[in-house]
Amino acid sequence: METSALPGSCQSRRMEAAAAAALGSAVTGGPPPPQDEPPPPVRDRLSGMQKGGGVCSRSYFVVVMVFVHVYILNVIALLLYVYYSNGNQHGTEPGGDAAGQAAPTPDPRAIPRLDQLAAPYTYLPRLEGIKVGYRQTVNLVPDKIHEMRTLSLKPLLFEIPNFLTEQECKLHIHLARLKGLQTSQILPVDGYKEAMDNLDISKADIFNLLDHNQDGQLQIKEVLTHSRLGNGRWMTPENIREMYSALKADSDGNGVLSLDEFKKLNLRDFHKYLGKQEVTMNDLVRNSQHTWLYQGEGAHHVLRSIRQRIIKLTHLPLEVVENSEPLQVVRYDTGGHYHAHMDSGPVFPETACTHTKLTANETAPFETSCRYVTVLFYLNNVTGGGETTFPVADNRTYEEMSLIQNDVDLRDTRKHCDKGNLRIKPRQGTAVFWYNYLSDGKGWVGDIDEFALHGGCLVTAGTKWIANNWINVDPNKQRQLWFQQEMGRYAKEDSEIQREWAVDQPYKDMHVDL
């Protein structure tokens, strides 16, 4: 993908959202238990029995046979577990024949209505990456087999060439132009200022949260880590030094802030300072235009077909995919970029998922987009630049402070895209998808996968078109199931007002039906 989210490590995230605002912002269940070593060959056991007495031999024979049968049943159960945990992803869909012939794909316009769905799901399938470079086949459309390649394990990231045809790519661009694109927006400052007023947090607490290494001093890279939201401006080490000088924040001029220096600051002065600075599009966190295309019932048949393919690709429940965000189409002109970010933010008591907040009827000072899966489509070949970068993909460990070393910020996609661990070149029709969350080991959403940090590299020539499909799942299982239940209930209503609320209201500010 490429969209806004909350950066930061998992450690102390409950209060980091407030601190950021103050400064401007795995198959589930784990591997099956190891099986016992197989018993010695039965034939050898039987030959030993023949030498013993009748009663002992018969008893021994019964014990051996029971053990053998239990072992065989365990093996069968293990194979079935692996088969269904992987969602039968290795080339044959349920209902296909043994030769790999795909079962006929239903007409995308014949996807069951939400009010026809079965009981709520309690388990989210998750694909296996096996190893980097591993290739497997998937059946997404009739009479065609797609190849899916594992690009990384951290995050779990896949690439599917020719997911879209050239005609489908052009149609997406055409529909987006008809709809009209708007300048991509960043998280608003005013909302975070208001949230700060509702939180009881002292300057000392903010300082301690920002002081990552707890050495009693705020280094520039520690401040940078938590100042990415702001007014949408991308802050660099040079920007921080200029701001310190203008606000006389660093009284001794050593480049770091002590607790005493920090307490003397009026934090709102940071906002005022940033608000007075002239900002160009190149200075923003994101420089692009986007629009939203409705994919629900009655949408263009190609858009409905894309949603059906995603269901088959991810093996996620239909109702989860159907009640997720619309399709986002994004255009990056020459000079366009999107600095590295996360698609989702952590969900704590102080936050709520945007998609379930309406039905949960809960109040929270912060909300975030809970995007379990990102599916990104490249709609054209880019003349120059425009790669998707994963700066820390497959790193042995994740350490947020190590992202900035000697004024080199790996999240800066305008200057340092070439220094990231993984870059994906845009190729028309190719899809990449990844999980933004880890598994909780019980078949549900766990913690944020920090290795999913990614961004859009600077477009040096031409124009870049992409589309994003996000699958929304609330890490709070009960909230998600309640949301699905309410969506199903509203889908059964005959009232047009209820239908509009169920499908369109959550995204009323983001799209208009075509």
Side-chain angles (χ1 to χ4, degrees), residues 234-280:
W234 179 257
M235 301 298 290
T236 66
E238 293 79 7
N239 297 145
I240 297 296
R241 295 187 187 101
E242 291 171 0
M243 184 166 58
Y244 282 179
S245 176
L247 299 178
K248 296 179 173 56
D250 183 15
S251 57
D252 55 13
N254 63 353
V256 298
L257 297 183
S258 66
L259 178 58
D260 289 338
E261 290 174 326
F262 189 79
K263 285 182 176 179
K264 295 176 182 177
L265 296 176
N266 182 344
L267 298 181
R268 297 196 181 278
D269 288 342
F270 285 96
H271 295 286
K272 293 179 181 178
Y273 172 83
L274 293 173
K276 294 178 181 179
Q277 303 304 303
E278 182 179 352
V279 179
T280 68

Side-chain angles (χ1 to χ4, degrees), residues 318-339:
L318 180 148
E319 59 266 42
V320 172
V321 179
E322 287 282 38
N323 283 317
S324 292
E325 295 174 59
L327 181 77
Q328 185 192 59
V329 179
V330 187
R331 182 182 71 199
Y332 296 87
D333 295 323
T334 300
H337 70 277
Y338 195 173
H339 291 304

Side-chain angles (χ1 to χ4, degrees), residues 14 29 89 192 235 244 251 303 315 346 383 492 496:
R14 297 192 177 198
Q89 57 186 296
Y192 277 80
M235 301 298 290
Y244 282 179
S251 57
L303 299 181
H315 301 281
T383 305
K492 292 179 181 179
E496 289 300 321

Side-chain angles (χ1 to χ4, degrees), residues 441-468:
K442 301 176 183 178
W444 201 253
V445 178
D447 293 330
I448 284 283
D449 188 345
E450 295 170 320
F451 294 93
L453 181 75
H454 64 284
C457 297
L458 177 69
V459 176
T460 58
T463 301
K464 171 186 173 183
W465 287 88
I466 65 167
N468 295 303

Side-chain angles (χ1 to χ4, degrees), residues 77-214:
L78 177 60
L79 292 174
L80 290 174
Y81 172 82
V82 173
Y83 179 84
Y84 287 107
S85 294
N86 290 344
N88 187 26
Q89 57 186 296
H90 296 288
T92 305
E93 288 290 318
D97 59 31
Q101 182 66 33
T105 300
D107 188 320
R109 288 165 288 185
I111 297 176
R113 295 173 58 91
L114 293 177
D115 57 355
Q116 299 172 338
L117 297 174
Y121 52 90
T122 57
Y123 167 79
L124 297 175
R126 188 178 178 93
L127 303 188
E128 279 275 24
I130 310 298
K131 63 179 181 180
V132 174
Y134 181 76
R135 300 174 186 271
Q136 50 191 307
T137 57
V138 289
N139 296 312
L140 304 175
V141 295
D143 304 321
K144 184 175 182 180
I145 301 296
H146 286 83
E147 182 179 83
M148 181 170 67
R149 183 166 68 98
T150 302
L151 297 183
S152 74
L153 299 179
K154 296 189 304 182
L156 191 52
L157 169 66
F158 303 92
E159 179 184 56
I160 307 97
N162 302 312
F163 187 96
L164 300 178
T165 65
E166 181 180 355
Q167 291 73 23
E168 288 171 337
C169 291
K170 291 180 178 179
L171 176 66
H172 280 77
I173 295 174
H174 176 67
L175 292 177
R177 283 173 168 159
L178 285 178
K179 174 73 178 298
L181 293 92
Q182 62 186 39
T183 301
S184 300
Q185 299 298 310
I186 308 300
L187 292 176
V189 178
D190 294 339
Y192 277 80
K193 288 182 180 177
E194 180 180 351
M196 275 296 298
D197 294 336
N198 297 327
L199 290 178
D200 183 15
I201 181 171
S202 67
K203 287 185 179 180
D205 289 334
I206 295 175
F207 184 91
N208 288 330
L209 288 170
L210 299 180
D211 186 11
H212 187 271
N213 60 6
Q214 296 296 299

Side-chain angles (χ1 to χ4, degrees), residues 16 29 34 58 82 146 174 220 293 319 326 380 407 412 415 422 458 489 496 506 510:
E16 286 187 5
R58 186 178 302 109
V82 173
H146 286 83
H174 176 67
I220 287 181
L293 300 180
E319 59 266 42
N380 72 321
D407 283 0
D412 191 328
K415 296 180 179 178
L422 175 65
L458 177 69
R489 182 169 69 86
E496 289 300 321
M510 294 194 292

